[in-house]
C-alpha cells in the first residue's frame, strides 16, 4: 500500500494576490535573481498568466494518472505543478482535463512535460505552462507522491510555495519569503519608474545608470 498525504500549509490569499501584481521577471530580480524555472517552460498562449500556491505532484514520463489524482484533490486557486522528468514526447494534459480544472476553480498548470489541444486550451483560457506541445497520448499506470517537494525546471518547488508565471516564464517564491519578496518587488518597480521618468525628461542612459566611471575603470574609451 502507498499512502499519499495531500495536506500542506497554503499562503495567505491576500499575499498571493499582492504578488500577482508583479511580473515574473520583476519577482526573479527582486529576490536576488532566484527562483526562475528553465526558459523551456512557456505558456501555450503568451496572454496566459497565473499566480497561486503549488500543488505538487510527481508523474512518471508519459504517464498522467497522478496528474489526474492531483486535479481531484487540489483546492480552488492551487496551481498544479507537475514533475515528469522533463519529457517532451507526451501530451499529458489537454482540453478535457483543463475543463475539470476550470470546474474546480484551479489556478493553472505548470509542467515539465508536454500538453496538447492547445487551440482549445487557448479558447478556454485556463493558464497552462509546459515544456513542450505534443499530441502523443499517455498511459495511466504509475502511482507516486503528491504534496511533496519536486524538481521542475531546475528548481525545487515545495507544496505551498507560490508559483507566478506570465509570458516571460515561471518563477517560484518560497512560502516563508512571500511578504519580503512583495516589498522588494515594490521597491524595484518604484526604482524602474524613476529610471523611465528620467529618460523621458531627456537624460541619457549613461547619466541615469552612471556608466561613465564604470566604463572608464574598465578601460573603454569612446571617441
Amino acid at each position: 500500500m502507498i499512502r499519499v498525504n495531500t495536506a500542506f500549509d497554503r499562503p495567505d490569499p491576500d499575499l498571493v494576490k499582492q504578488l500577482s501584481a508583479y511580473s515574473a521577471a520583476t519577482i526573479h530580480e527582486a529576490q536576488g535573481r532566484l527562483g526562475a524555472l528553465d526558459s523551456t517552460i512557456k505558456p501555450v498562449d503568451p496572454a496566459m498568466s497565473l499566480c497561486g500556491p503549488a500543488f505538487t505532484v510527481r508523474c512518471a514520463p508519459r504517464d498522467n494518472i497522478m496528474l489526474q489524482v492531483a486535479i481531484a484533490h487540489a483546492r480552488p486557486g492551487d496551481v498544479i505543478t507537475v514533475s515528469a522528468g522533463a519529457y517532451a514526447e507526451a501530451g499529458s494534459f489537454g482540453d478535457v482535463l483543463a475543463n475539470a480544472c476550470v470546474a474546480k476553480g484551479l489556478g493553472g498548470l505548470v509542467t515539465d512535460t508536454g500538453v496538447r489541444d492547445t487551440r482549445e486550451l487557448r479558447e478556454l483560457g485556463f493558464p497552462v505552462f509546459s515544456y513542450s506541445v505534443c499530441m502523443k497520448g499517455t498511459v495511466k499506470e504509475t502511482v507516486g507522491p503528491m504534496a511533496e517537494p519536486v524538481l521542475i525546471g531546475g528548481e525545487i518547488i515545495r507544496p505551498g510555495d507560490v508559483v507566478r508565471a506570465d509570458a516571460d516564464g515561471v518563477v517560484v517564491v518560497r512560502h516563508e519569503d512571500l511578504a519580503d519578496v512583495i516589498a522588494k518587488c515594490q521597491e524595484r518597480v518604484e526604482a524602474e519608474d524613476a529610471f523611465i521618468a528620467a529618460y523621458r525628461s531627456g537624460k541619457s542612459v549613461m547619466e541615469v545608470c552612471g556608466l561613465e566611471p564604470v566604463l572608464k575603470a574598465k578601460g573603454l574609451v569612446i571617441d
Side-chain angles (χ1 to χ4, degrees):
M1 177 181 294
I2 300 174
R3 189 174 299 278
V4 177
N5 180 24
T6 61
F8 60 90
D9 292 331
R10 289 169 173 80
D12 183 342
D14 185 59
L15 291 179
V16 174
K17 183 177 180 180
Q18 290 179 48
L19 187 73
S20 71
Y22 303 103
S23 70
T26 293
I27 295 167
H28 169 60
E29 294 285 354
Q31 62 178 359
R33 298 185 176 177
L34 298 174
L37 275 61
D38 288 345
S39 60
T40 49
I41 298 177
K42 286 289 193 294
V44 299
D45 186 330
M48 289 178 173
S49 175
L50 61 79
C51 188
F55 189 103
T56 58
V57 60
R58 194 176 308 151
C59 295
R62 208 173 61 84
D63 191 320
N64 76 346
I65 188 171
M66 291 309 299
L67 168 57
Q68 297 197 41
V69 175
I71 292 169
H73 288 276
R75 298 181 186 176
D78 285 351
V79 174
I80 304 295
T81 305
V82 184
S83 175
Y87 186 80
E89 295 301 313
S92 65
F93 182 91
D95 65 327
V96 174
L97 289 180
N99 274 278
C101 291
V102 170
K104 290 200 66 175
L106 303 187
L109 173 86
V110 174
T111 179
D112 69 350
T113 189
V115 300
R116 62 186 184 183
D117 305 326
T118 54
R119 179 178 63 81
E120 290 85 352
L121 293 177
R122 288 192 292 271
E123 291 173 353
L124 185 62
F126 182 71
V128 175
F129 290 71
S130 68
Y131 180 54
S132 69
V133 173
C134 180
M135 69 176 71
K136 298 176 182 177
T138 57
V139 299
K140 297 169 180 61
E141 296 288 345
T142 308
V143 297
M146 293 188 300
E148 293 184 4
V150 295
L151 176 65
I152 175 173
E155 290 288 329
I156 298 294
I157 300 181
R158 307 169 308 178
D161 286 343
V162 179
V163 179
R164 173 74 173 106
D166 57 25
D168 290 331
V170 186
V171 66
V172 60
V173 178
R174 303 301 173 209
H175 185 169
E176 64 272 17
D177 296 336
L178 194 52
D180 181 59
V181 170
I182 290 169
K184 289 177 178 177
C185 284
Q186 184 59 33
E187 291 173 3
R188 183 173 179 84
V189 167
E190 291 172 359
E192 290 182 341
D193 286 347
F195 287 155
I196 292 170
Y199 295 144
R200 289 178 175 173
S201 73
K203 293 183 178 180
S204 72
V205 173
M206 299 289 287
E207 183 180 3
V208 172
C209 296
L211 292 180
E212 288 188 7
V214 175
L215 296 177
K216 183 177 180 180
K218 294 180 179 296
L220 178 67
V221 177
I222 302 175
D223 294 326

